Amino acid sequence: MKKLFLHIFLFFSLICFSQNEQLAQYYYDKGDFEKAKISYEELLENVPQNLQYFLRTIDCYQQLQQFDVAEKAIQNRLAKYNQGSLLVELGYNFQLQKNDLKAKSYYDQAIERIRKNPNEVYGIANSLERKVQLEYALKAYQTATEIQPNYNFNYQQGLLYGQLGNFEKMIETFLEEAYANPQNSIIIQNQLSRFMTDEADASFSNALRKALILRVQKAQDLFWNHYLSWFYVQQKEFSKAFIQEKAIYKRNPESLSTILNLANLAIEEEDQEVAREILTFVIENTKDLGLLVQAHSYLTELKIKNAAEKDYATINAEIEALLKEYEISPFTLSLQLIQAHFVAFNLKKPEQGRAIVKKALELQLNNYEVAQAKMELADILLFEQKFNQALLYYSQIETDLKNDAVAHEASLKAAKTSYFKGDFAWALKQFKELKSANTQLIANDALEYFLLINDNTVADSTQTALKAFAKGDYLLYQNRNQEAITQFQLVLNTFKGDEIEAVTQLRLGKTYEKTAEYNLALSQYQSIIDHHSDGIYIDEALFFSAEIYSKRLNEPEKAKALYEKIIFNHQDSIYFVEARKKFRELRGDKNL
């Protein structure tokens, strides 16, 4: 019985202690440092060895400008525990009082502690970094490695050099560490990418490019070709990355899978010319069936994307020839599904498309391959307005590959199916859940449709305009572009000035781009810029217009002006980083 009471007492003590900690944190976060100080002092009295409570107590003293109390507390703890990091706390306490000479004295003492005992570097350097004493933190790591050369603080030093703006030393240190310890390459590349994205001008990227080229030339080590290729991919300079990958392949012709991945990246970024060049190289240099089929699949998709109706017969014959050469098997599934989609959506023969997929499903496929085939079958059923059958297959994929990226894609398509059939309440619920999907493209797509349905339901409870707009979207899905244009024009004429107007102009602009009617697309985007400048589609209208002027009409000055508007007026736009890069290119910045 005594043990029971003891356990109960300890249990409630722990609850009480946890609540006191939460209360102290609450006051601290709120900025009520007087109450936070009292709470942390009580906590520290119960657990005097807890460093976190001690540091929070000291911070409260300093926030309340009780520097003498803070100094005495730190000195007492230093005498009791003899931790070198407490010298940093003393130095910072004097720094807050503008006594830089005394602060420096304690920081120097902390460095001397490392000379006597290099193991103290961890606590001291960490404290210096928290106090933003970056030069001293760097000195701490350097001092420790002087005494103990087997210590490795290259990563920490690289970060500090970057924070201090010494990009050359940062790059040198990071690259040395990457070469010495290749297992750290990914975290180093993540840091380099962050600086490549965030830096105010092109100087960092330029310095990194030069450093990598120099190492490629001097070392003759494939490690640096891989790194330089990675750099060019970050810059979306796929032709230059391809040069590096070819150099690697010539010296080490083991696999072309990396080069094939590069082609896929080029396709995603719509660098179709380079993608075709890479895919042709793969086809000419491999006998691996998987790589050959994948390369031909990518090339065929590129041809379909850019094809006019007069090209369809030729493309269909080419697909038939490829399937005859490589045969119907699980290895050629990607080509079979491309054929099914092409036959259904381009040749408008959905029954034939379904037959191709059902034949593919009879093969010995793994779970992912079955999901791919079912996805295509559902897409074709949706094309045929067989909404419920399409939903059935999408839900099967969601169940079979729960929480997988493919399942999320199926969920998105199921939500769009509900949207197309006019079941907006259910579609809205699905899009709301998908807004937080792990895949950014799916999350962005879901957010777009969620806002579309939500905004136009609030503005029009009958959802009449939304139903008309969804019909236009469905015609786009069926690849009936001219009919979609007519439908969106009808929406604009019928609901002029309503909530639906801006998004309809945006959709109409993108449809005109698909049909290569660029001036008509520009007129729709300009209407958004002129009449909906405070809406959520303004940054898209600016960016899409700039892209047309830059890529299609060869009017760089007009494009530059539009990119500049995004840079200065829409920093929160998802197009901000790309607009800034393209603006610099048009401005003539070198070595981006």
Side-chain angles (χ1 to χ4, degrees):
M1 190 59 125
K2 286 182 180 179
K3 285 185 178 179
L4 178 61
F5 283 124
L6 180 62
H7 284 305
I8 293 170
F9 174 76
L10 289 172
F11 175 72
F12 282 106
S13 295
L14 283 170
I15 291 175
C16 184
F17 191 80
S18 175
Q19 288 174 339
N20 289 342
E21 186 177 21
Q22 290 175 2
L23 188 63
Q25 181 72 46
Y26 169 76
Y27 288 135
Y28 184 86
D29 292 339
K30 191 180 172 185
D32 192 341
F33 297 110
E34 186 64 53
K35 290 180 180 177
K37 178 192 76 170
I38 295 167
S39 296
Y40 278 118
E41 283 175 337
E42 289 175 359
L43 288 166
L44 193 59
E45 193 175 335
N46 288 317
V47 193
Q49 70 273 19
N50 189 301
L51 182 62
Q52 183 62 32
Y53 295 158
F54 174 76
L55 294 176
R56 279 293 171 89
T57 306
I58 295 300
D59 193 25
C60 289
Y61 292 149
Q62 291 166 342
Q63 293 287 348
L64 297 166
Q65 297 191 4
Q66 297 173 1
F67 300 114
D68 291 342
V69 179
E71 182 187 350
K72 186 178 178 182
I74 299 168
Q75 290 283 15
N76 288 340
R77 191 174 184 89
L78 180 60
K80 185 174 182 180
Y81 293 105
N82 195 30
Q83 294 170 304
S85 60
L86 293 170
L87 292 167
V88 177
E89 298 299 327
L90 277 169
Y92 186 68
N93 196 55
F94 282 108
Q95 187 181 323
L96 290 173
Q97 299 173 70
K98 310 290 189 215
N99 191 339
D100 293 339
L101 199 62
K102 204 140 188 186
K104 182 179 181 300
S105 169
Y106 279 109
Y107 294 149
D108 289 336
Q109 286 181 52
I111 300 298
E112 284 305 310
R113 286 283 290 255
I114 296 172
R115 291 191 195 282
K116 294 172 184 174
N117 181 9
N119 287 331
E120 289 218 61
V121 66
Y122 300 99
I124 290 171
N126 184 263
S127 292
L128 288 164
E129 286 188 61
R130 279 191 287 104
K131 304 303 183 189
V132 201
Q133 292 299 310
L134 304 182
E135 293 279 6
Y136 270 106
L138 193 59
K139 193 174 180 180
Y141 289 125
Q142 290 168 341
T143 302
T145 49
E146 283 171 18
I147 309 299
Q148 290 284 358
N150 59 321
Y151 281 3
N152 181 1
F153 297 114
N154 282 340
Y155 181 73
Q156 291 89 335
Q157 290 181 75
L159 286 176
L160 288 168
Y161 281 128
Q163 291 173 61
L164 289 165
N166 190 341
F167 293 147
E168 287 192 12
K169 284 294 291 182
M170 174 194 181
I171 290 166
E172 180 187 340
T173 307
F174 270 154
L175 295 184
E176 283 178 6
E177 173 62 16
Y179 187 72
N181 298 291
Q183 70 273 14
N184 293 334
S185 273
I186 292 177
I187 60 169
I188 287 170
Q189 286 175 347
N190 288 340
Q191 287 298 333
L192 292 172
S193 295
R194 185 170 65 83
F195 276 85
M196 288 161 68
T197 303
D198 293 346
E199 37 73 45
D201 54 37
S203 61
F204 179 81
S205 295
N206 188 25
L208 179 56
R209 180 187 63 86
K210 286 180 178 177
L212 288 169
I213 290 173
L214 194 63
R215 281 164 172 77
V216 166
Q217 293 170 343
K218 280 188 175 181
Q220 296 295 303
D221 191 314
L222 290 181
F223 178 87
W224 297 118
N225 294 92
H226 282 294
Y227 237 85
L228 188 55
S229 174
W230 165 83
F231 170 81
Y232 285 133
V233 168
Q234 305 311 301
Q235 300 293 92
K236 299 181 182 177
E237 296 180 284
F238 299 107
S239 60
K240 292 180 180 178
F242 182 39
I243 291 169
Q244 297 306 314
E245 292 298 336
K246 279 194 291 186
I248 294 165
Y249 179 74
K250 285 174 184 175
R251 288 170 59 188
N252 187 21
E254 288 184 3
S255 172
L256 286 160
S257 58
T258 305
I259 295 180
L260 193 61
N261 289 337
L262 181 62
N264 190 33
L265 289 171
I267 291 168
E268 287 177 2
E269 294 297 329
E270 299 189 356
D271 195 342
Q272 295 182 13
E273 186 179 340
V274 174
R276 276 190 288 269
E277 184 185 353
I278 298 171
L279 293 168
T280 303
F281 178 85
V282 172
I283 290 167
E284 290 173 352
N285 287 276
T286 189
K287 293 182 180 178
D288 182 286
L289 179 60
L291 291 176
L292 280 168
V293 170
Q294 196 61 61
H296 278 299
S297 296
Y298 286 150
L299 268 177
T300 303
E301 286 180 321
L302 282 175
K303 287 178 182 177
I304 293 171
K305 186 175 182 179
N306 297 301
E309 198 167 337
K310 61 182 177 60
D311 305 317
Y312 288 172
T314 304
I315 291 171
N316 196 39
E318 287 177 0
I319 299 173
E320 288 283 3
L322 287 169
L323 286 169
K324 186 176 181 181
E325 180 180 356
Y326 298 117
E327 301 179 350
I328 301 295
S329 75
F331 283 106
T332 60
L333 179 66
S334 59
L335 276 172
Q336 294 170 58
L337 298 183
I338 287 169
Q339 183 187 42
H341 194 89
F342 179 74
V343 166
F345 285 79
N346 295 81
L347 300 183
K348 303 294 189 284
K349 298 177 180 177
E351 302 90 347
Q352 188 179 332
R354 271 192 286 116
I356 293 168
V357 180
K358 286 183 177 178
K359 187 177 177 183
L361 281 166
E362 293 172 4
L363 300 169
Q364 293 294 315
L365 306 176
N366 62 38
N367 289 343
Y368 279 93
E369 290 168 337
V370 169
Q372 287 176 328
K374 284 185 175 180
M375 192 88 81
E376 187 57 52
L377 184 56
D379 290 348
I380 295 171
L381 289 165
L382 177 54
F383 176 90
E384 297 179 280
Q385 299 186 47
K386 295 176 180 178
F387 300 117
N388 292 333
Q389 289 183 54
L391 284 170
L392 181 64
Y393 280 104
Y394 289 137
S395 65
Q396 285 179 15
I397 298 166
E398 290 176 82
T399 303
D400 294 342
L401 297 175
K402 198 175 286 287
N403 297 323
D404 190 89
V406 177
H408 287 152
E409 183 185 353
S411 298
L412 181 68
K413 288 187 174 185
K416 286 184 179 180
T417 302
S418 298
Y419 162 72
F420 288 144
K421 68 184 285 198
D423 188 353
F424 298 127
W426 180 243
L428 188 69
K429 184 176 182 293
Q430 290 174 297
F431 286 130
K432 185 177 181 179
E433 290 174 3
L434 286 164
K435 284 192 301 171
S436 56
N438 292 332
T439 309
Q440 194 61 48
L441 285 174
I442 289 175
N444 288 344
D445 215 357
L447 177 61
E448 179 190 338
Y449 279 95
F450 174 81
L451 292 173
L452 169 70
I453 296 171
N454 190 62
D455 291 351
N456 288 285
T457 300
V458 172
D460 175 17
S461 59
T462 64
Q463 298 175 324
T464 308
L466 187 58
K467 287 171 187 171
F469 183 89
K471 183 180 177 181
D473 263 353
Y474 182 62
L475 289 167
L476 277 182
Y477 174 81
Q478 291 179 304
N479 207 23
R480 293 158 65 184
N481 296 329
Q482 289 303 327
E483 292 171 72
I485 287 170
T486 301
Q487 180 64 22
F488 287 131
Q489 287 172 335
L490 177 65
V491 173
L492 283 180
N493 292 332
T494 308
F495 303 99
K496 189 171 180 62
D498 288 359
E499 180 72 32
I500 202 91
E501 184 178 52
V503 68
T504 306
Q505 290 169 334
L506 190 75
R507 198 72 101 242
L508 194 51
K510 291 306 290 180
T511 311
Y512 280 133
E513 283 192 60
K514 285 179 71 175
T515 58
E517 297 172 277
Y518 300 116
N519 286 318
L520 289 175
L522 285 170
S523 69
Q524 296 301 321
Y525 298 146
Q526 190 59 49
S527 183
I528 295 172
I529 294 166
D530 291 340
H531 305 295
H532 302 279
S533 59
D534 57 345
I536 62 173
Y537 302 107
I538 178 66
D539 60 323
E540 290 174 283
L542 289 167
F543 186 79
F544 297 154
S545 298
E547 291 285 277
I548 291 174
Y549 282 123
S550 175
K551 294 180 179 178
R552 307 297 182 186
L553 302 182
N554 194 26
E555 295 187 49
E557 289 304 314
K558 288 184 179 179
K560 191 166 72 170
L562 292 165
Y563 287 134
E564 191 173 28
K565 284 184 179 179
I566 296 171
I567 294 166
F568 287 107
N569 301 326
H570 303 281
Q571 288 93 340
D572 58 343
S573 169
I574 60 171
Y575 301 103
F576 173 78
V577 173
E578 191 66 15
R580 184 177 63 179
K581 182 176 183 291
K582 294 192 174 186
F583 174 76
R584 289 173 179 168
E585 288 174 354
L586 293 174
R587 191 174 60 183
D589 293 3
K590 302 295 182 185
N591 304 319
L592 291 172

